[in-house]
Amino acid sequence: MAHTIRVRAIANGDTVQVQSLIQHPMDSGFVKDSAGKLIPPHYIEVVTFAAGNKTVFTAFWGPAVSKDPYLKFSFKGAKKGDTLTISWVDNKGMHDSTTAPIM
Amino acid sequence: MRRVIAAVAALAMLALTGAAPAPATAGKSNPAADLKAFQDYFKTSFPKVPFDDFVNGPYAVNKGMRAQWEQIMQFPPYDFELADGKKLFETKFANGKSYGDCFPDKGIGIAQTYPHFDAKTGQVVTLVDAINACRVTNGEAKLDVSKGPMAEIAAYMVSTSHGKRFDVTIPDDPRALAAYEAGKQFFYSRRGQLNFSCASCHVQSAGKRLRGDIIAPALGLVAAFPIYRDAWGNIGTLGRRFVECNAQVRAVAFKPDSTIYHDLEYFLTYMDNGLPVTGPGTRP
Amino acid sequence: MIAEASQARIGRRTLMGGTGLAVAAGACMVLRVPQAAAADAAPMASAASWPIKAFAQKTQADALQALFGSVTLETSPKVALDVPEIAENGAVVPVSVDASALSGVQMIALLVPDNPFTLTAAYPIAAGTAPNISCRLKMAKTSNVIAVVQAGGKLYATTKQVKVTLGGCGG
């Protein structure tokens, strides 16, 4: 079930640049549906990026992060061919994870 | 600049005052001349915009929007749906055949020729029509023509045409010319409570602000479809956008797969001939 | 500073180092189970670490207090904030923060004071990770966007206004 996460991790020298897109509604709780009912808040709270067994990046998100959230960051300490593990968990306890090779 | 606007306004007036030939006089229709006048108008109005860049709509004519769009395109929001479209396109029907069997070149790299005129039926066939026709031929139900799987499959097929240029042909057939003229007439005709034509915004006001939005020039207007619209939160077809545009000028919209929208798509895509296929795209 | 875990959030850091299965057990309503095999010993996202209090605040001061334990911001050109002057759509506002000019960055936070909740996103910066991030935010209306960078026990900030206008084309 790694369908919700798309990642591009590219090594350039000793720095790895990571871009990711996660499929998630990120409902703020302030938007009404077509029937006029408030859509309850449903958003990712934590995203973790790990290289090997080390967390290299953490994102704490609230309901005002855009739908299908995008992230870009870079870190040192990994190289081409290493594996990046990405995982998220949302306010309803749903979660997903995937791994991606560093290109 | 003012002279050019006047010229195009005159062109619009011509279309409005009935100078656009009716089917009976379709022999006088001259799409090639229209195409040149149309493209020249935008080249003159936006001398700094490279021709190929017109496919990028509002981003071609506004720096601030372009900067945001370039950031968005580092990881476009339609990525998931495009991947789904590829999967759907490659999935076999119950009878063992697949979409590729319905199209020349297995459906890869052919989107730039749509819409095309089918001499057998006398109808304009859009890519969306062709996808549904393929399903019906193979015993499958038609898909919704606005969004979802249809938009995803079309997005994938269009993406395989990247690097190719629009090459829509209008054969010397009175029915084809009539369809073209009907699309053109629709484009220049005012409608709705706001009394706007498509051209009111996309020709006369191209590049200007409409409240928070920048109006895309008519040249290149359909080149990035299907599009992911932020306002939709997913990918949609040109038919879906036509419905929305008409509703926005407070007109009663037609069905997304109505004949008149087919004709409009025929006219608009023909006007984009020579521009590179860039869909799927993103718009606010 | 991390807020207390609520009742619904079982455990804290202990889960972070656990296996995928441990995390799956920690989340109450599991709908997507991470593949245990793929997870190895890689740390997985845990809701327990989420600063719940900070995200619930409606004012800048309360959000800063909850997240950092301090409300004093020092405006600094070393915090480069890139936002559009006019958002093409309030639902998707690209934001980039680059605090590479500061050393020892511990956290980058993004505040939108005119949103219903002020704190929008917070990024703890691990050693070896560049203090340079990009993401996309929702803005309910025209507001300041404040990038707050915690470094060496101080809070540095840059503020820029983003205009959010109603779309004319049905946006």
Side-chain angles (χ1 to χ4, degrees):
Chain A
M1 290 297 290
H3 187 61
T4 64
I5 308 173
R6 290 175 84 81
V7 192
R8 283 182 212 143
I10 297 158
N12 187 0
D14 62 345
T15 303
V16 179
Q17 192 195 70
V18 183
Q19 292 186 88
S20 73
L21 200 63
I22 300 173
Q23 200 166 32
H24 198 284
M26 299 301 282
D27 291 318
S28 66
F30 297 100
V31 175
K32 286 176 182 163
D33 64 16
S34 50
K37 273 181 63 185
L38 273 181
I39 302 166
H42 183 200
Y43 53 93
I44 293 175
E45 292 181 336
V46 183
V47 191
T48 298
F49 293 76
N53 58 7
K54 181 178 176 283
T55 299
V56 294
F57 193 75
T58 307
F60 293 145
W61 285 341
V65 169
S66 301
K67 175 180 187 286
D68 295 344
Y70 165 83
L71 250 183
K72 180 164 117 179
F73 69 94
S74 54
F75 69 97
K76 291 181 185 201
K79 57 184 189 309
K80 201 176 157 171
D82 287 358
T83 296
L84 200 65
T85 303
I86 304 97
S87 58
W88 60 258
V89 58
D90 71 21
N91 67 322
K92 293 186 179 180
M94 294 182 196
H95 52 92
D96 195 8
S97 71
T98 192
T99 57
I102 293 169
M103 313 289 271
Chain B
M1 180 91 153
R2 189 154 290 192
R3 206 146 36 90
V4 183
I5 290 175
V8 168
L11 185 79
M13 288 296 281
L14 276 176
L16 280 175
T17 50
T25 56
K28 286 182 190 161
S29 176
N30 192 343
D34 291 352
L35 175 82
K36 185 168 184 314
F38 191 93
Q39 295 196 346
D40 282 351
Y41 167 71
F42 287 100
K43 286 177 188 167
T44 314
S45 303
F46 299 96
K48 286 184 189 152
V49 175
F51 180 65
D52 282 0
D53 208 23
F54 277 104
V55 299
N56 297 321
Y59 312 120
V61 295
N62 185 278
K63 234 174 115 189
M65 285 193 49
R66 190 182 189 96
Q68 290 174 68
W69 170 67
E70 281 172 352
Q71 289 211 31
I72 298 285
M73 288 305 279
Q74 292 191 359
F75 223 134
Y78 54 70
D79 239 42
F80 289 102
E81 286 176 289
L82 183 58
D84 288 345
K86 182 175 196 289
K87 226 177 281 166
L88 286 168
F89 179 83
E90 288 165 354
T91 304
K92 287 193 162 56
F93 300 125
N95 67 2
K97 300 218 168 165
S98 63
Y99 290 105
D101 298 322
C102 299
F103 294 92
D105 295 335
K106 291 275 169 199
I108 303 300
I110 53 141
Q112 71 281 1
T113 62
Y114 285 89
H116 72 233
F117 179 75
D118 183 346
K120 258 186 240 154
T121 61
Q123 299 282 320
V124 170
V125 179
T126 64
L127 181 61
V128 164
D129 291 333
I131 290 168
N132 259 345
C134 176
R135 293 182 60 85
V136 170
T137 303
N138 289 290
E140 303 279 336
K142 282 189 179 182
L143 294 171
D144 180 294
V145 296
S146 291
K147 55 185 170 183
M150 172 59 81
E152 292 168 4
I153 294 164
Y156 169 67
M157 290 182 71
V158 165
S159 75
T160 67
S161 278
H162 283 182
K164 308 209 169 178
R165 289 174 187 274
F166 282 100
D167 185 18
V168 173
T169 51
I170 298 171
D172 192 10
D173 179 316
R175 297 167 301 172
L177 289 164
Y180 168 83
E181 289 297 339
K184 176 173 144 189
Q185 180 132 17
F186 188 93
F187 183 78
Y188 290 110
S189 302
R190 291 178 178 271
R191 69 193 68 250
Q193 288 178 327
L194 299 187
N195 201 27
F196 280 0
S197 68
C198 309
S200 306
C201 285
H202 296 288
V203 177
Q204 280 99 323
S205 307
K208 293 184 185 147
R209 260 188 199 285
L210 182 66
R211 301 180 80 179
D213 293 330
I214 299 288
I215 300 173
L219 177 60
L221 198 57
V222 299
F225 274 83
I227 56 166
Y228 180 104
R229 243 167 90 69
D230 291 337
W232 294 337
N234 53 35
I235 215 166
T237 62
L238 190 52
R240 182 181 183 188
R241 189 68 182 107
F242 283 156
V243 169
E244 195 180 46
C245 278
N246 274 180
Q248 279 162 355
V249 299
R250 310 287 183 268
V252 176
F254 295 84
K255 290 218 162 66
D257 56 350
S258 59
T259 306
I260 191 62
Y261 285 162
H262 281 44
D263 295 345
L264 179 60
E265 182 168 347
Y266 196 35
F267 166 73
L268 277 173
T269 317
Y270 180 76
M271 288 297 129
D272 283 354
N273 266 356
L275 285 171
V277 176
T278 41
T282 67
R283 294 293 184 268
Chain C
M1 208 156 88
I2 306 297
E4 314 150 350
S6 74
Q7 287 179 330
R9 301 168 196 289
I10 308 159
R12 289 191 45 176
R13 286 266 158 197
T14 47
L15 282 176
M16 292 291 280
T19 65
L21 279 175
V23 176
C28 305
M29 297 176 288
V30 177
L31 291 192
R32 299 179 188 279
V33 179
Q35 297 153 295
D40 281 337
M44 304 295 269
S46 160
S49 61
W50 191 66
I52 183 170
K53 233 182 191 171
F55 276 105
Q57 302 309 316
K58 300 194 172 186
T59 68
Q60 180 181 333
D62 291 348
L64 289 173
Q65 184 65 40
L67 188 65
F68 298 110
S70 162
V71 297
T72 314
L73 297 181
E74 182 184 320
T75 299
S76 168
K78 290 181 175 175
V79 177
L81 170 64
D82 185 15
V83 289
E85 217 171 292
I86 303 173
E88 72 163 21
N89 187 317
V92 193
V93 182
V95 176
S96 293
V97 182
D98 186 354
S100 305
L102 290 167
S103 56
V105 172
Q106 296 155 277
M107 176 139 11
I108 298 175
L110 287 164
L111 276 58
V112 182
D114 288 334
N115 267 0
F117 298 108
T118 301
L119 180 63
T120 304
Y123 302 97
I125 302 297
T129 297
N132 183 352
I133 58 99
S134 299
C135 59
R136 300 167 187 165
L137 308 181
K138 284 183 275 197
M139 292 181 63
K141 54 184 171 186
T142 298
S143 171
N144 282 337
V145 173
I146 310 171
V148 180
V149 176
Q150 183 187 35
K154 285 182 77 173
L155 299 179
Y156 302 90
T158 290
T159 301
K160 281 188 180 174
Q161 193 195 49
V162 176
K163 290 194 181 77
V164 177
T165 319
L166 278 178
C169 301

